[in-house]
Amino acid sequence: MFHNWFDRWDEKRARRGEDAKKVTAVTLDAELAFPSAVNICNIDEFCKLGEQAVATPSFFRAPLSNDTEFERAGDFLKFPSDISTDVAENNVVWSKITDSGSRDKALVIFHHWNARSRNRQIANYFSKRGITVVEIAMPYHFERSRPGSDYADYMLSANLGRTIQSLRQAVWDGQKLIRWLKSEGYREISVLGMSLGSWVAGLVAAHDTNVRKASLFLTGGSLAEMVWTGRATRAIRESFESTIDLSHLRRAWAPLDLGNYVYSLARPDLDIQIVLAKRDKVILTELSFSLLESLNNAGAKLDVLQLNCGHYSLAIPPYIIFAGINLQRFLSQSGKSDLRT
């Protein structure tokens, strides 16, 4: 009875904003994902570029930047993104800083898809415990929203190229912010990603050795499979079904599959925490377990917490309390391989 109530609550929450998500035409726009691409006219050509990007370490490596690009105004920090899009608002990155008063530890938070507000309670909680929290706005969210849009449709959609561009932009923005934090004297940098934000946080951790701890809430390996099977992305799957199949989507979005970077995530100086919901209908548990198996096989240092809740009910008591306590423990000490249920 208890869990049935949470299941119904999750389904009700999943319906919120669903009417705004429409079936759209599948678009390649390969030049957005791969700037040197020209005359890419079919999905097989796009897939080859996606697979090549996985084998290209520099694809997710953000260019070096000038510290003078950063502007601090009170609790906010803004700087230009190194990837320029046709939405001017999206080209300026905004971050909310909740200062701990210490330059010892900083936690960069990557929020979930279509987040409407930043995580004030989390920021206040950890800042009082000596960890400065920086909540970065991902592409097409918060101050970076596309004018007239009802949700962040440009970040995740049936436009194959723009989706890769958006995730790559988020990863570059995160690395640029982390370099600024290091220049400000922060000793230990951690990242926390939630749902879609966990893909960004995972990609950042895989490509930026400044990251010492990565906490991934509600994550999986293959973004393509998440979109194909998940409750929140039905409209995107319907867009794809008449044009491309899952096998092509996996290849096209290969750069966005965390499973392709498990050996980078398994480096000795990186600790990883994964929090998953066993009743999740947005990111199915088999996707999370597949990533866990790959990470274990690669020798990653893992701390895993399984909670008997759904994707959205993780955000309410008692589950958010369990997750918060586990996150605090993880950030305060070196993690060892552990499995908690």
Side-chain angles (χ1 to χ4, degrees):
M1 176 71 75
F2 177 74
H3 291 114
N4 287 339
W5 182 89
F6 275 107
D7 289 342
R8 291 193 298 272
W9 189 91
D10 266 85
E11 176 58 26
K12 182 178 180 181
R13 172 62 182 78
R15 293 195 192 107
R16 187 187 305 171
E18 194 168 45
D19 290 342
K21 298 175 182 177
K22 306 296 184 184
V23 175
T24 60
V26 175
T27 309
L28 296 182
D29 278 348
E31 70 282 358
L32 297 182
F34 316 108
S36 61
V38 292
N39 300 323
I40 302 302
C41 302
N42 61 66
I43 185 62
D44 287 318
E45 291 177 336
F46 191 105
C47 288
K48 290 178 182 177
L49 292 176
E51 291 167 336
Q52 289 171 10
V54 174
T56 306
S58 61
F59 185 76
F60 279 116
R61 187 178 299 145
L64 296 177
S65 55
N66 192 323
D67 287 347
T68 60
E69 294 181 307
F70 294 85
E71 296 180 35
R72 179 82 183 260
D75 293 335
F76 281 87
L77 176 75
K78 72 173 183 175
F79 57 90
S81 177
D82 289 321
I83 290 180
S84 180
T85 68
D86 59 0
V87 177
E89 291 82 357
N90 182 53
N91 297 333
V92 178
V93 186
W94 292 80
S95 299
K96 173 73 164 57
I97 300 176
T98 306
D99 205 317
S100 68
S102 167
R103 293 299 172 95
D104 186 39
K105 296 182 179 182
L107 173 66
V108 179
I109 297 181
F110 299 89
H111 54 77
H112 61 83
W113 186 38
N114 298 320
R116 300 298 183 186
S117 62
R118 289 184 168 89
N119 300 279
R120 179 174 55 85
Q121 291 180 320
I122 293 176
N124 290 339
Y125 180 84
F126 283 103
S127 67
K128 292 176 181 177
R129 288 159 177 79
I131 301 174
T132 292
V133 177
V134 187
E135 303 170 86
I136 188 172
M138 294 205 300
Y140 306 106
H141 288 80
F142 303 151
E143 300 87 357
R144 307 176 68 177
S145 296
R146 181 170 64 89
S149 61
D150 295 320
Y151 69 106
D153 56 337
Y154 270 28
M155 182 154 194
L156 183 62
S157 71
N159 185 314
L160 296 175
R162 190 165 58 207
T163 296
I164 292 178
Q165 181 193 55
S166 297
L167 271 290
R168 188 186 191 205
Q169 183 178 34
V171 172
W172 279 23
D173 295 342
Q175 291 179 73
K176 191 170 183 176
L177 173 60
I178 288 169
R179 282 202 299 265
W180 180 83
L181 288 168
K182 292 296 289 186
S183 73
E184 290 290 299
Y186 287 94
R187 180 184 61 84
E188 182 178 287
I189 309 292
S190 302
V191 294
L192 166 63
M194 304 173 182
S195 194
L196 182 61
S198 73
W199 267 267
V200 178
L203 289 168
V204 169
H207 293 87
D208 192 334
T209 56
N210 287 313
V211 177
R212 289 292 175 261
K213 296 179 182 178
S215 180
L216 310 180
F217 278 36
L218 306 172
T219 196
S222 170
L223 188 74
E225 289 196 44
M226 184 277 281
V227 166
W228 199 265
T229 61
R231 174 66 181 81
T233 51
R234 289 176 176 175
I236 301 177
R237 173 175 175 167
E238 288 180 36
S239 301
F240 285 133
E241 283 183 318
S242 63
T243 305
I244 64 174
D245 58 21
L246 178 56
S247 63
H248 280 99
L249 188 60
R250 285 196 199 100
R251 293 176 60 206
W253 281 352
L256 309 180
D257 187 339
L258 292 180
N260 288 326
Y261 307 101
V262 291
Y263 288 99
S264 295
L265 290 167
R267 67 177 186 268
D269 61 351
L270 177 65
D271 296 321
I272 301 174
Q273 177 194 51
I274 291 181
V275 176
L276 60 92
K278 293 193 286 186
R279 308 173 79 88
D280 200 334
K281 298 295 190 295
V282 175
I283 301 168
L284 302 187
T285 51
E286 49 260 43
L287 301 183
S288 300
F289 284 128
S290 177
L291 177 62
L292 285 174
E293 182 179 8
S294 296
L295 287 167
N296 269 316
N297 290 340
K301 294 193 290 183
L302 288 176
D303 184 304
V304 182
L305 174 66
Q306 299 183 62
L307 295 172
N308 195 18
C309 62
H311 191 87
Y312 301 104
S313 49
L314 175 63
I316 59 178
Y319 304 112
I320 191 60
I321 297 172
F322 298 149
I325 292 172
N326 204 58
L327 176 59
Q328 180 186 356
R329 179 191 57 78
F330 173 73
L331 294 177
S332 64
Q333 60 187 23
S334 296
K336 296 179 180 180
S337 295
D338 192 14
L339 183 64
R340 299 168 186 269
T341 58

